[in-house]
Amino acid sequence: MQRFLRRVAVAWTLTLATVVLGTVTLPTLAMATGAPVGDDAVTSFSLKNGMQVVVIEDHRAPVVVDMVWYRVGAADEKPGQSGIAHFLEHLMFKGTDRMKPGEFSATVAALGGSDNAFTSWDYTGYYQRIAARHLGQMMAMEADRMRHLNLTPQVVATERQVILEERSQRIDNNPGALFNEQMRAAQFLASPYGIPVIGWRHEMEKLSRDQALAFYHSYYAPNNAVLIVAGDATPQQVRSLAERHFGPLAPTPDLPPRARPQEPPQLAARHLTMSDPRVADAYLRRSYLAPNRRPGDQHQAAALAVLAELLGGSAQTSVLARALQFDQHLAVYTGAGYDGTSVDPTTFSLTVVPAKGVTLPQAEAALDRVLAGFLASGPDPKELARIKTQIHASEIYARDNVAGLGRRYGAALSAGLQIKDVQDWPRALEAVTPEDVRAAARAVLVPARSVTGYLTPAPGATAGTETPKSAPVLAPEKEVTQ
């Protein structure tokens, strides 16, 4: 539990600091140095049973990150079973016909490695970071639990209490997290993206062994998985090991299609207010329905990624920070976010924490004025050039993190994108023009497709009371981690 909480805190601290650069760019030295893109270090092939394999070579240290991504997540759950994808993620560590409960992670630790897992709306992933010489053993263990999970009723009952406790700690005891749940539920009228990844508590309490196994047998199959090996391994080595361990697994012939409910036209702006005595400082968030990255056509998504960085990517130089924090002194924090790596349309979000003495309606009115001005004039070409320079830098630094590269490819491939889309993404960002940014802003920042939320202290609550306070949760949680 402590490992889980620590990892979530670190992950979302980094997400806030690099809301665009850390989530939607790919590493390459090309735009910064003029050197060719390092695509040759990435090799992809498929096994006969349909399992896709991606190898990202980095031979600087004898270490590999072994990942298995399943193309299934919380948005693929049956109605009334919210949280089953994350529940199964937990249960995947609870034993097979060959391994006892907990033996998987104990084995990884005994070999000097670390492991974990995560669930999102669109994927579920498992990984180990370990010495390269143990890669074959990791694949053997992953292949074993892909087809031979063994769950006892006692294990299921115990783990159900674990995920309920996780929800208590991370969601129910955090008004900002509860607020984000309400925001997403209001944003998505039909899409399952409006349902929290961890699940609604009243449905989590009823999740059963039979439901977990049904979900497992439906979706956990080699032809619904992507194996990613990043680090000190060659494509030939990985192919040999993958064919040995995953190759004998039979594919599932009747994989359920990813036919999810789609959003109807959104015709009315929504506004909600939530009060909680644990809130330290009131703030507002606004989200808009936004397009996702599309295979072969990432032009608009790239413009939205740049737009998010222009509006709220920097605490000192972004459009919102300059206008609301420094020029008008109406806010102490502003931010913007967009992550288009998803199967279905996603969100573009804005956050404003008002300065002392500024009401939320005043902050919202000021936000609207800034947005109106931006839509009218478009981005400053010099600021756009600055953002692109930052993108170049982030791409260079990202090459130093093979696990991060693996996650970029895994998330993209699990969301329906292709290897070429991943490799073309930096070029798509580089090609964004001021007019592209303004056109994307005009297409997405539409009031009728928005939700604006106020999170406030409870009436009568004042600073200095004995009521426990919580800091704002300024980014909604996309993943739930083991």
Side-chain angles (χ1 to χ4, degrees):
M1 183 68 69
Q2 290 179 344
R3 176 181 64 176
F4 156 73
L5 292 172
R6 181 170 60 251
R7 189 179 185 281
V8 168
V10 171
W12 279 107
T13 298
L14 294 175
T15 299
L16 287 172
T18 57
V19 68
V20 173
L21 304 181
T23 58
V24 296
T25 58
L26 269 178
T28 173
L29 292 170
M31 271 67 78
T33 66
V37 176
D39 295 348
D40 290 342
V42 179
T43 303
S44 179
F45 56 88
S46 294
L47 303 183
K48 292 181 180 180
N49 58 15
M51 188 174 195
Q52 185 176 6
V53 183
V54 177
V55 184
I56 304 171
E57 294 184 71
D58 186 330
H59 301 288
R60 293 175 300 170
V63 176
V64 293
V65 178
D66 178 55
M67 297 178 166
V68 175
W69 296 68
Y70 292 94
R71 294 185 177 97
V72 63
D76 301 297
E77 298 164 341
K78 290 183 178 180
Q81 296 184 19
S82 65
I84 194 70
H86 171 241
F87 188 28
L88 178 59
E89 175 215 308
H90 276 242
L91 294 172
M92 288 289 284
F93 291 86
K94 299 306 173 183
T96 67
D97 295 338
R98 303 171 187 173
M99 303 195 81
K100 299 176 182 179
E103 186 177 352
F104 190 108
S105 294
T107 300
V108 175
L111 294 173
S114 60
D115 71 321
N116 214 322
F118 44 85
T119 305
S120 182
W121 285 283
D122 296 317
Y123 53 76
T124 308
Y126 303 84
Y127 71 89
Q128 304 87 42
R129 181 179 178 87
I130 200 158
R133 66 182 182 275
H134 300 308
L135 177 60
Q137 186 171 353
M138 296 302 101
M139 287 195 193
M141 292 161 58
E142 285 287 12
D144 176 38
R145 67 176 174 180
M146 181 181 286
R147 283 306 201 192
H148 304 293
L149 190 63
N150 187 357
L151 302 177
T152 66
Q154 181 179 2
V155 161
V156 171
T158 300
E159 205 62 28
R160 185 170 51 240
Q161 291 304 121
V162 171
I163 62 170
L164 287 168
E165 180 60 25
E166 285 188 12
R167 179 173 173 96
S168 295
Q169 291 191 22
R170 294 183 29 249
I171 307 295
D172 299 334
N173 290 339
N174 188 331
L178 289 170
F179 176 60
N180 284 331
E181 278 192 346
Q182 297 300 304
M183 288 282 295
R184 289 192 68 90
Q187 179 70 77
F188 293 102
L189 304 178
S191 169
Y193 286 168
I195 300 172
V197 172
I198 199 168
W200 299 117
R201 174 173 286 276
H202 67 286
E203 294 181 352
M204 294 168 65
E205 292 172 342
K206 298 178 182 178
L207 295 178
S208 69
R209 176 178 179 273
D210 289 345
Q211 290 171 338
L213 288 174
F215 196 82
Y216 171 73
H217 291 305
S218 294
Y219 294 106
Y220 278 51
N223 52 323
N224 198 38
V226 181
L227 170 66
I228 295 182
V229 177
D232 189 24
T234 67
Q236 294 77 15
Q237 291 170 331
V238 173
R239 182 187 289 272
S240 176
L241 291 172
E243 288 178 345
R244 181 189 311 167
H245 298 295
F246 291 103
L249 303 181
T252 295
D254 53 349
L255 281 172
R258 300 190 99 170
R260 302 165 174 178
Q262 297 298 298
E263 281 298 294
Q266 296 197 357
L267 307 177
R270 282 133 286 167
H271 204 295
L272 60 90
T273 299
M274 176 177 160
S275 298
D276 192 294
R278 297 169 293 182
V279 173
D281 298 294
Y283 63 94
L284 72 88
R285 295 198 74 240
R286 179 180 293 166
S287 62
Y288 298 87
L289 195 65
N292 52 315
R293 291 169 64 184
R294 299 185 179 96
D297 181 13
Q298 303 180 95
H299 182 76
Q300 189 177 29
L304 288 171
V306 173
L307 173 65
E309 186 68 11
L310 282 165
L311 287 180
S314 168
Q316 289 79 36
T317 59
S318 67
V319 171
L320 292 178
R322 285 179 173 177
L324 301 183
Q325 295 175 235
F326 299 107
D327 294 346
Q328 303 175 42
H329 304 289
L330 296 175
V332 296
Y333 173 88
T334 57
Y338 168 74
D339 184 0
T341 307
S342 59
V343 173
D344 297 312
T346 180
T347 58
F348 187 100
S349 63
L350 303 166
T351 303
V352 178
V353 180
K356 184 176 181 180
V358 179
T359 67
L360 290 174
Q362 289 171 336
E364 182 182 0
L367 171 65
D368 288 335
R369 288 194 297 271
V370 175
L371 293 178
F374 185 88
L375 291 172
S377 63
D380 182 336
K382 293 182 179 180
E383 285 301 300
L384 180 58
R386 180 183 62 80
I387 294 303
K388 288 185 177 182
T389 299
Q390 292 180 347
I391 290 174
H392 296 334
S394 75
E395 291 162 358
I396 294 170
Y397 299 146
R399 292 189 67 86
D400 199 40
N401 185 344
V402 292
L405 292 183
R407 286 184 66 90
R408 294 177 196 276
Y409 277 88
L413 296 174
S414 299
L417 298 171
Q418 304 300 318
I419 293 287
K420 189 175 187 303
D421 296 312
V422 180
Q423 295 176 340
D424 285 347
W425 182 240
R427 292 182 278 271
L429 292 167
E430 172 65 16
V432 171
T433 66
E435 187 51 43
D436 292 334
V437 173
R438 185 158 70 163
R442 288 175 171 174
V444 171
L445 304 182
V446 178
R449 296 196 290 271
S450 73
V451 177
T452 303
Y454 291 176
L455 180 61
T456 69
T462 59
T465 66
E466 295 182 0
T467 305
K469 302 293 183 180
S470 66
V473 177
L474 300 175
E477 188 167 282
K478 182 176 180 179
E479 292 181 0
V480 176
T481 309
Q482 167 75 1

